Amino acid sequence: MNTNPTRDLILDSAQALAQTRGFNGFSYADIAAEIGIRKASIHHHFPTKHDLESELLERYRSGFVAQLESIESGAKGSVERLQRYAQLYTNTLSNHCICLAGMMASDVGALPEQLKPSLEAFFSEHMAWLTKVMAEGKSAGELNFSGSAQSQASVFLAGLQGGLLMANAMGDEAVFKKLKQTLVAQLK
Amino acid sequence: MNTNPTRDLILDSAQALAQTRGFNGFSYADIAAEIGIRKASIHHHFPTKHDLESELLERYRSGFVAQLESIESGAKGSVERLQRYAQLYTNTLSNHCICLAGMMASDVGALPEQLKPSLEAFFSEHMAWLTKVMAEGKSAGELNFSGSAQSQASVFLAGLQGGLLMANAMGDEAVFKKLKQTLVAQLK
DNA sequence: GTCTATAGGTGGATAGAC
DNA sequence: GTCTATCCACCTATAGAC
């Protein structure tokens, strides 16, 4: 695969900036300053900012896919799977940032058309995974809810995405942790 | 009050742009083009962009306060109150936009320090209102949930905020409508 | 692959005439 | 209150040397 170290440094820096300030809230100059390189060098790796954004989302999306598979093979119970899923967002939360896909969704009016399929795929994949966990959990008697598995999946996913917004707005990570617990608890 | 017509046009245009493209995703030139005025004229009403942002959030916040009061006096049942609250977001949804406060929360890393108190106030006010509705609804036997009223309020609020993100990402408003119904239904 | 230098455009903001 | 004209800083992006 593409394991160019400089390239990865650029992506890491860009992702952190994008998740805290939005896609229009940072520039090549910010990345350059952060990793100690010149703007022109970044253009060598990512000719346009759209290229950078596109790669960023794709990396983020496929990284999540791998983590979902990891949870599926590592956690047997539905409750534990949901907890570990929610934990993925908590890892993200640390420094006033939201989900990269959530960020893109918020600025969708300014999003280049080519990125929309990846963005849609991100949420579709998460919905599919969560819906499966909900359905299996209900069948196994581990989860208890009324309505469809899909509806519960969307409550769960939207709750986590919105919870990140709320925690940022309140400047209080505890808000998210409490919400995470409630979302799981009400499924038991 | 300040009912300058041009000023309101500017605010309306800026709000629509901010809710679809983010705060760093539009410029005075965009507003000028949209309402047929020059950039310099906008600076007359709002000397700096921070002034504009600040006023925008404050107007948005106080507008919601008025609507919450209106719901409280107009709707007696807790279920109806929650439905009408959720409806406030649906009105917003029309053209790929999210809650203005949610947008600010997403870009909190780029948000001027002076705006953070208003942003926090927005979510505090909504949480307080929803918590009260939840508590009263449970006491009256209209709502049924386990855990605290506050926890349920945060599930409800985060669900709606996240639902707007999801609907934008999927390019499908029906996603939000369904979610809205589920959030209310699971409280009965 | 990284650099210097720079082009070409747009951002927010100001001065001063009307 | 709105306009023209302009400033300067910053943006994305490119050319070409090393």
Side-chain angles (χ1 to χ4, degrees), chain A residues 57-58 61 111-125, chain B residues 169-170:
Chain A
L57 180 58
E58 205 43 47
R61 191 184 66 77
L111 204 67
E113 210 59 39
Q114 324 107 34
L115 269 80
K116 292 186 181 173
S118 283
L119 180 61
E120 198 178 323
F122 178 93
F123 282 97
S124 293
E125 286 161 3
Chain B
M170 315 284 277

Side-chain angles (χ1 to χ4, degrees), chain A residues 14-21 60 92 96-100 103, chain B residues 106:
Chain A
Q15 182 173 334
L17 288 163
Q19 283 184 272
T20 49
R21 308 172 52 87
Y60 190 77
T92 304
H96 308 295
C97 68
I98 67 167
C99 169
L100 186 72
M103 180 62 83
Chain B
S106 74

Side-chain angles (χ1 to χ4, degrees), chain A residues 10 16-17 20-22 32 37 42 54 62 78 80 88 101 110-111 121 154 158 167-168 175 186 188:
Chain A
I10 295 169
L17 288 163
T20 49
R21 308 172 52 87
I37 203 177
I42 303 176
S54 177
S62 63
S78 300
E80 191 190 341
L88 297 177
L111 204 67
S154 68
N168 274 321
V175 168
Q186 71 183 1
K188 291 195 216 174

Side-chain angles (χ1 to χ4, degrees), chain A residues 4 6 37-38 40-41 45:
Chain A
N4 185 302
T6 305
I37 203 177
R38 296 288 142 177
S41 307
H45 295 279

Side-chain angles (χ1 to χ4, degrees), chain B residues 63-176:
Chain B
F64 255 104
V65 169
Q67 286 174 305
L68 296 187
E69 285 169 4
S70 163
I71 291 176
E72 204 147 3
S73 63
K76 288 157 209 157
S78 300
V79 171
E80 190 190 342
R81 284 181 181 176
L82 291 179
Q83 282 168 337
R84 285 186 58 180
Y85 176 82
Q87 189 64 29
L88 298 177
Y89 290 88
T90 310
N91 295 341
T92 303
L93 188 57
S94 323
N95 290 329
H96 309 296
C97 69
I98 67 168
C99 169
L100 186 72
M103 179 64 83
M104 291 206 173
S106 74
D107 297 338
V108 72
L111 204 68
E113 211 58 41
Q114 323 108 34
L115 269 78
K116 291 185 182 174
S118 283
L119 180 61
E120 199 178 322
F122 178 93
F123 282 96
S124 293
E125 286 160 2
H126 285 233
M127 274 298 292
W129 190 86
L130 284 169
T131 299
K132 201 176 125 202
V133 173
M134 295 289 177
E136 289 176 355
K138 193 172 190 180
S139 298
E142 295 165 12
L143 300 180
N144 177 32
F145 56 83
S146 59
S148 68
Q150 190 180 18
S151 291
Q152 284 304 315
S154 68
V155 167
F156 199 78
L157 178 49
L160 293 174
Q161 292 284 341
L164 291 174
L165 291 182
M166 283 179 61
N168 273 323
M170 315 284 277
D172 182 6
E173 296 184 18
V175 168
F176 183 77

Side-chain angles (χ1 to χ4, degrees), chain A residues 28-113:
Chain A
Y28 275 34
D30 295 320
I31 303 171
E34 198 170 305
I35 68 178
I37 203 177
R38 296 288 142 177
K39 288 192 292 174
S41 307
I42 303 176
H43 280 284
H44 171 75
H45 295 279
F46 303 97
T48 74
K49 205 180 177 186
H50 285 175
D51 293 330
L52 174 59
E53 287 175 354
S54 177
E55 191 95 5
L56 216 50
L57 180 58
E58 205 43 47
R59 187 182 75 149
Y60 190 77
R61 191 184 66 77
S62 63
F64 253 104
V65 169
Q67 286 174 305
L68 296 187
E69 285 169 5
S70 162
I71 292 175
E72 204 147 3
S73 63
K76 287 159 209 154
S78 300
V79 171
E80 191 190 341
R81 284 182 181 175
L82 291 179
Q83 281 169 336
R84 285 185 58 181
Y85 177 83
Q87 188 64 29
L88 297 177
Y89 289 89
T90 310
N91 295 340
T92 304
L93 188 59
S94 324
N95 291 327
H96 308 295
C97 68
I98 67 167
C99 169
L100 186 72
M103 180 62 83
M104 290 204 172
S106 74
D107 298 338
V108 72
L111 204 67
E113 210 59 39

